[in-house]
Amino acid sequence: MAYVKPVDATSSGAELPAVFQAASPRERIKAIRVAELDATRKLVERIYGVSINSDTVVYDLVLADDQVGAAVNNLIRGVRTAEGPIYQEDGQVWVLKEVKLATVIEEIKKTVRRTYKEGKQVTEEELTTVTREHGHTTLDALGNGALPGTSGLKKIQAKRAAEVDAYRRLAERMLGVQITSTTTVRDMALRSDKIQARLAQVLKGAKPIDVVYSDDGSCTVTMQIKLADIYHVIEHYDSEDKSILKSDIETDTRTLTESGYGLARLDVELPDGPVSDGESNVKSAFPETTIVIRKLVGTAVVAD
C-alpha cells in the first residue's frame, strides 16, 4: 500500500490523567514538545561526554572540528523517541529518547576519514575500538515537560533552579582547588578558554545523588564531581603544568559535593524554542554551566 488510511481516535481522553483531560490540545502538545526538547538537550550532553581515549571525549572533537559538531547535530535530529509521552497525575509529561553508541561513533568516523590528513586528536582505530568494546551501549535521556499552572511545572522549575544553584556552589569549590602552593584551577582557567569550556562540561556532568521536594514548594538537589575529572582537564589542556600534577590521578577517589536550593518562578515558563542555535560549541551545549564558569572566573560579563 502506498498510503495510510486515517482513522478517528476516541475523544474521551479516558486514558489520560484528569489534569490532562482538562487541558487544551495546544497545552498538551506544547508540554510534549518541551519534554522532547529537554530529552534532546540531555542526550547531546551524554554524547559529548563519551570517552574516546584516556585524554579525549567526543566534546573535545566537537570543539576542535566543526565538522564533527555538524555530524553529531545531524544525528541528533534523527534520534527516535523510545518511550512516551508518559503522562503524570501532577501535570508532568515524560519523553525518553535514545541512540546506540555505535551509531554515534560511526558518524564521527566518517568525519575523521575526511579530515584526518589535517590532523586529529584521535585515530580511526581508536574509534573502532570504542565501537568494539562499547558499541552495544545505548545512550538515553528522559525529558520533562508540564502543563502550565500545575504542581508538576512548579516541581520542574524548582528542580532546575536548585540544579543551577548546585552548579554555582560546585564551581566555586572546583575553581578553588589547589594545583600547586601558588596556583589554583581558577588561575589556569584565566589562561585558557579551552580549559573553561572543558570545566563547564565537567560541571555539567556532575552526578545528582539526592533530589528532595519540600512541602513549601522548594527543591534541594545534591550533586557531586570527582577531583580526578578536574585534574584530567588541567593535565590535558595545560601543558605548562602537567608535570606538577599527581601521578595517581586514576586512583584519586576524592569528590566535591554541594547542595543547591531552588523555588519555582511563577512568571517563567519552560522553554519551547529550538534545541540549538546551530553552533557546535560549549555555549550551545552547556549554557547553564558555561555562564556559571565564566561569571566566577571573571573573564566576561554575562547576562542571564
Side-chain angles (χ1 to χ4, degrees), residues 43 47 75 79 97-101 103-104 137-140:
L43 193 57
I47 290 172
L75 173 67
V79 167
K97 290 201 170 189
E98 64 181 26
V99 63
K100 291 289 186 181
L101 177 56
T103 303
V104 176
T137 301
T138 297
L139 304 176
D140 57 26

Side-chain angles (χ1 to χ4, degrees), residues 63-210:
L63 286 177
D65 191 335
D66 288 342
Q67 287 186 318
V68 177
V72 173
N73 285 341
N74 289 334
L75 173 67
I76 288 296
R77 291 190 186 100
V79 167
R80 73 184 186 92
T81 297
E83 191 173 354
I86 305 170
Y87 301 98
Q88 304 298 308
E89 297 287 347
D90 63 2
Q92 289 190 65
V93 59
W94 301 342
V95 170
L96 179 68
K97 290 201 170 189
E98 64 181 26
V99 63
K100 291 289 186 181
L101 177 56
T103 303
V104 176
I105 298 301
E106 285 305 310
E107 283 300 312
I108 295 174
K109 281 175 68 175
K110 295 175 185 177
T111 306
V112 169
R113 291 193 189 103
R114 290 198 300 267
T115 63
Y116 183 68
K117 290 182 180 179
E118 300 176 5
K120 210 65 182 175
Q121 294 184 60
V122 299
T123 65
E124 187 176 333
E125 288 73 21
E126 286 177 312
L127 291 168
T128 300
T129 298
V130 175
T131 302
R132 182 174 61 252
E133 296 181 353
H134 306 288
H136 62 281
T137 301
T138 297
L139 304 176
D140 57 26
L142 183 67
N144 305 99
L147 294 172
T150 61
S151 61
L153 177 60
K154 293 177 181 178
K155 285 181 180 179
I156 293 174
Q157 291 175 333
K159 180 173 179 285
R160 291 187 179 177
E163 287 172 342
V164 172
D165 188 42
Y167 289 142
R168 179 184 60 79
R169 294 169 186 267
L170 271 177
E172 288 177 340
R173 292 191 61 193
M174 177 170 66
L175 293 173
V177 170
Q178 291 287 145
I179 302 301
T180 69
S181 60
T182 59
T183 306
T184 65
V185 172
R186 183 192 301 272
D187 297 325
M188 295 184 176
L190 279 168
R191 302 179 196 165
S192 169
D193 289 341
K194 288 184 177 180
I195 289 180
Q196 290 183 41
R198 191 67 167 87
L199 289 174
Q201 191 261 326
V202 170
L203 186 59
K204 189 64 177 180
K207 179 182 178 182
I209 59 175
D210 197 29

